[in-house]
């Protein structure tokens, strides 16, 4: 489909098609955005294949990345008064094109500063089922960058983190002694208007597909290869509705790309990574990356009503950093209430009390959790032990057993839609 190779899914539930496997779009989780569908064992006729290829060609961006880079070069030569950005087409306009866009809304006098912060100029693609573009609040973005610098990294592979990429690029162009570099991999092609082919690759993180082909893949490989692969970190903030399995598979491929660049020594190591994702996916992520651990830091967003912190007191964001770096190295800001637990050897949020019985700081959501002797573990403060279900749950839950475990937390007794770990979000 236009997003590259499809993914193989399996029909679940009852009915005669249960267990039957089919291909569908990797990037769009809504059939309205891409309706590609093919049974695994389906024979596809030549005509249909040809039609599909034509459709895919027609659904590629109008300008190529190369063309966009040329356009940018011309754009910056224009006097301020001739620099326009079409808000409807989300495109920088050259004077010859004004006519075509005359009935569109546009911004004028686009400054160099604006060109350096495209994430402010472009509107976020919030469509939950495809892009789910939620931009870091400045506080969180600065925190990430400082952490990366303090840890001694020099290169950042920014996978779906345009705002992090942007502050790195912008600092690199302004401060002479700023040594960090970034390569952005993202499916949002609008960014190709602002970055060269060495700074941005049009990439799908659900199927590890480089839209720019071998040349783009080579750009990525080269970026990872510099300095013998040392001091590079991958930072990724995927759409939360995305399949963890597909994401993990792509990240493993990016890690493998890094690994083959290693000449000697640390062959058993994994590329340092920050995977930013909600805490209730912890067990899923650890399934694929047992070396990862979850940090208590709450990542905040600008355009997410639920995950941004308000002016008065903060709303708790469920989004965390998962990393394969040693937890004690991830220093969290004491000004924001994080403290170091000497027993756990990691920074934890202020409400996260060390439980003597579990021998760990057990809270996942920042609130103080309580220990249940029957469950033999700590649970959310709002939960009670239910003797019917033989586990802790919300007081008003229904004691129905469902066979399959919940998709989110893996526990039996409820479905994804009523998962207690989601109730806060
Ligand atoms: N917090 C980040 C943005 C995260 S939003 C920041 O401020 O930099 C998720 C990002 O992933 C968006 O930039 C979106 O365009 C990108 N994205 C969504 N689906 C993708 C896919 N299939 N492949 C690659 N990137 C994708
Ligand atoms: Zn502790
Ligand atoms: Zn406990
Ligand atoms: Zn209990
Ligand atoms: Zn119950």
């Amino acid at each position: 489909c236009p997003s590259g190779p499809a993914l193989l899914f399996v029909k679940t539930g009852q009915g005669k098609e249960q267990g039957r496997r089919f291909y569908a779009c990797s990037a769009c989780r809504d059939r309205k955005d891409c309706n590609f569908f093919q049974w695994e064992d389906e024979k596809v006729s030549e005509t249909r294949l040809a039609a599909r290829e034509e459709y895919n060609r027609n659904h590629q961006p109008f300008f190529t990345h190369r063309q966009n880079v040329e356009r940018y070069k011309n754009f910056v030569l224009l006097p301020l008064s001739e620099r326009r950005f079409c808000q409807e087409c989300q495109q920088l306009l050259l004077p010859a094109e004004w006519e075509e866009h005359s009935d569109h809304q546009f911004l004028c006098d686009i400054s160099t500063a604006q060109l350096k912060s495209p994430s402010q100029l472009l509107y976020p693609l919030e469509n939950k089922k495809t892009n789910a573009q939620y931009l870091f609040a400045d506080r969180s973005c600065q925190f990430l960058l400082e952490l990366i610098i303090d840890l001694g990294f020099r290169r950042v592979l920014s996978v779906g983190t345009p705002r992090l990429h942007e502050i790195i690029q912008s600092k690199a162009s302004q401060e002479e002694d700023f040594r960090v570099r970034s390569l952005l991999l993202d499916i949002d092609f609008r960014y190709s208007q602002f970055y060269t082919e060495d700074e941005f690759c049009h990439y799908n993180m659900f199927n590890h597909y480089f839209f720019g082909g071998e040349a783009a893949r080579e750009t990525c490989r080269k970026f990872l290869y510099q300095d013998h692969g040392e001091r590079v970190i991958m930072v990724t903030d995927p759409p939360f509705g995305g399949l963890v399995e597909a994401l993990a598979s792509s990240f493993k491929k990016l890690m493998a790309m890094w690994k083959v660049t290693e000449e000697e020594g640390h062959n058993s190591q994994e590329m340092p990574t920050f995977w930013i994702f909600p805490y209730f996916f912890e067990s899923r992520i650890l399934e694929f990356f047992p070396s990862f651990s979850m940090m208590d830091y709450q990542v905040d967003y600008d355009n997410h009503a639920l995950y941004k912190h308000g002016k008065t007191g903060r709303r708790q964001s469920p989004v965390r950093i998962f990393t394969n770096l040693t937890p004690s190295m991830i220093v969290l800001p004491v000004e924001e209430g994080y403290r170091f637990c000497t027993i756990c050897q990691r920074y934890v949020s202020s409400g996260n009390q060390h439980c003597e019985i579990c021998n760990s700081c057990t809270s996942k959501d920042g609130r103080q959790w309580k220990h249940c002797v029957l469950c033999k573990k700590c649970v959310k403060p709002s939960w009670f032990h239910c003797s019917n279900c033989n586990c802790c749950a919300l007081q008003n839950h229904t004691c129905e057993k469902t066979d399959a475990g919940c998709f989110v937390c893996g526990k039996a007794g409820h479905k994804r839609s009523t998962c207690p770990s989601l109730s806060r979000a």
Side-chain angles (χ1 to χ4, degrees):
C1 76
S3 304
L7 293 183
L8 186 56
F9 295 86
V10 59
K11 285 245 187 232
T12 56
Q14 269 92 54
K16 65 175 186 331
E17 277 175 352
Q18 189 203 349
R20 197 160 172 204
R21 305 208 290 181
F22 64 97
Y23 292 100
C25 180
S26 59
C28 310
R29 291 168 294 284
D30 191 334
R31 292 267 240 132
K32 283 203 284 297
D33 295 329
C34 175
N35 62 7
F36 186 94
F37 183 92
Q38 184 186 313
W39 291 114
E40 184 185 22
D41 50 12
E42 196 175 329
K43 293 263 176 295
V44 184
S45 70
E46 290 293 324
T47 1
R48 210 168 126 216
L49 263 184
R52 227 181 233 173
E53 276 166 23
E54 164 146 2
Y55 178 88
N56 291 349
R57 266 195 306 276
N58 292 340
H59 282 77
Q60 293 309 318
F62 185 71
F63 291 116
T64 64
H65 193 168
R66 178 68 49 80
Q67 285 171 323
N68 273 338
V69 172
E70 279 308 311
R71 294 167 55 79
Y72 183 87
K73 282 189 197 153
N74 293 327
F75 190 87
V76 292
L77 295 177
L78 297 171
L80 207 56
S81 60
E82 290 181 20
R83 291 193 192 170
R84 289 189 184 174
F85 175 75
C86 177
Q87 288 180 301
E88 235 166 285
C89 306
Q90 293 283 293
Q91 191 189 311
L92 297 172
L93 298 181
L94 297 171
E97 297 157 349
W98 289 357
E99 184 71 43
E100 280 169 69
H101 300 260
S102 58
D103 52 353
H104 294 173
Q105 296 255 24
F106 60 85
L107 296 173
C108 349
D109 299 343
I110 303 298
S111 67
T112 309
Q114 279 174 299
L115 292 173
K116 285 206 163 96
S117 359
S119 78
Q120 317 261 3
L121 194 61
L122 303 166
Y123 62 72
L125 303 173
E126 291 189 19
N127 171 1
K128 279 200 181 48
K129 294 270 176 73
T130 305
N131 288 77
Q133 205 159 51
Y134 295 112
L135 300 167
F136 293 132
D138 199 43
R139 196 178 61 86
S140 286
C141 206
Q142 294 294 342
F143 163 75
L144 280 172
L145 179 58
E146 270 158 41
L147 181 60
I148 289 164
I149 293 171
D150 289 346
L151 290 168
F153 291 107
R154 286 290 175 82
R155 273 164 299 128
V156 181
L157 185 66
S158 297
V159 186
T161 54
R163 191 157 266 183
L164 179 64
H165 175 72
E166 168 178 312
I167 60 167
I168 294 174
Q169 291 295 109
S170 158
K171 272 189 195 271
S173 72
Q174 278 156 23
E175 298 169 24
E176 216 175 294
D177 54 354
F178 186 81
R179 302 244 178 276
V180 184
R181 295 293 174 270
S182 170
L183 173 67
L184 175 64
L185 307 186
D186 202 289
I187 204 162
D188 185 352
F189 193 66
R190 297 175 305 169
Y191 283 98
S192 70
Q193 299 179 86
F194 305 91
Y195 300 122
T196 66
E197 286 144 304
D198 287 331
E199 297 166 328
F200 168 73
C201 298
H202 191 200
Y203 174 79
N204 183 348
M205 63 167 115
F206 289 113
N207 57 6
H208 187 61
Y209 181 65
F210 286 86
F211 293 82
E214 197 44 46
R217 187 182 290 270
E218 193 51 32
T219 300
C220 181
R221 197 179 291 128
K222 270 203 194 122
F223 181 80
L224 297 175
Y225 187 79
Q226 281 169 42
D227 258 346
H228 308 287
E230 274 170 38
R231 301 210 266 184
V232 57
I233 183 168
M234 168 161 68
V235 180
T236 183
D237 187 12
F240 304 149
L243 286 170
V244 173
E245 193 171 357
L247 291 168
S249 149
S250 296
F251 300 155
K252 281 185 200 275
K253 285 175 185 157
L254 288 169
M255 286 169 160
M257 230 182 196
W258 170 78
K259 210 161 182 169
V260 296
T261 66
E262 301 242 13
E263 286 167 1
E264 78 254 4
H266 33 80
N267 248 341
S268 56
Q269 264 181 295
E270 222 171 45
M271 171 159 68
T273 300
F274 287 162
W275 177 346
I276 297 164
F277 226 50
Y279 71 80
F280 35 81
F281 283 103
E282 182 182 24
S283 60
R284 290 290 288 160
I285 291 183
L286 298 196
E287 221 176 275
F288 295 101
F289 292 107
S291 61
F292 280 29
S293 40
M294 186 174 87
M295 302 295 100
D296 267 20
Y297 184 79
Q298 303 194 355
V299 180
D300 283 323
Y301 294 84
D302 260 357
N303 58 328
H304 203 298
L306 289 170
Y307 306 167
K308 74 179 174 196
H309 73 152
K311 283 208 177 74
T312 54
R314 57 185 294 180
R315 199 193 269 274
Q316 310 244 17
S317 158
V319 185
R320 303 289 182 270
I321 301 169
F322 293 85
T323 184
N324 50 6
L325 296 175
T326 312
S328 61
M329 286 163 47
I330 313 297
V331 180
L332 304 186
V334 177
E335 325 74 88
E336 287 176 40
Y338 298 99
R339 63 180 174 83
F340 191 71
C341 173
T342 48
I343 308 168
C344 296
Q345 282 292 302
R346 68 178 182 102
Y347 280 81
V348 294
S349 41
S350 53
N352 195 354
Q353 296 280 336
H354 190 86
C355 169
E356 303 288 339
I357 309 165
C358 298
N359 195 30
S360 136
C361 289
T362 45
S363 168
K364 304 287 181 195
D365 59 12
R367 297 177 300 168
Q368 186 176 340
W369 284 25
K370 58 183 186 188
H371 192 85
C372 170
V373 282
L374 295 169
C375 290
K376 298 194 181 66
K377 64 175 185 187
C378 283
V379 297
K380 293 188 172 186
S382 52
W383 286 16
F384 295 90
H385 195 83
C386 167
S387 47
N388 253 347
C389 301
N390 203 18
C391 69
C392 281
L394 282 170
Q395 193 122 53
N396 60 357
H397 71 284
T398 34
C399 299
E400 262 175 345
K401 290 258 186 249
T402 46
D403 293 339
C406 162
F407 183 78
V408 176
C409 70
K411 293 193 192 95
H414 60 265
K415 290 275 204 233
R416 173 188 199 157
S417 55
T418 53
C419 179
S421 48
L422 283 173
S423 62
R424 285 183 50 77

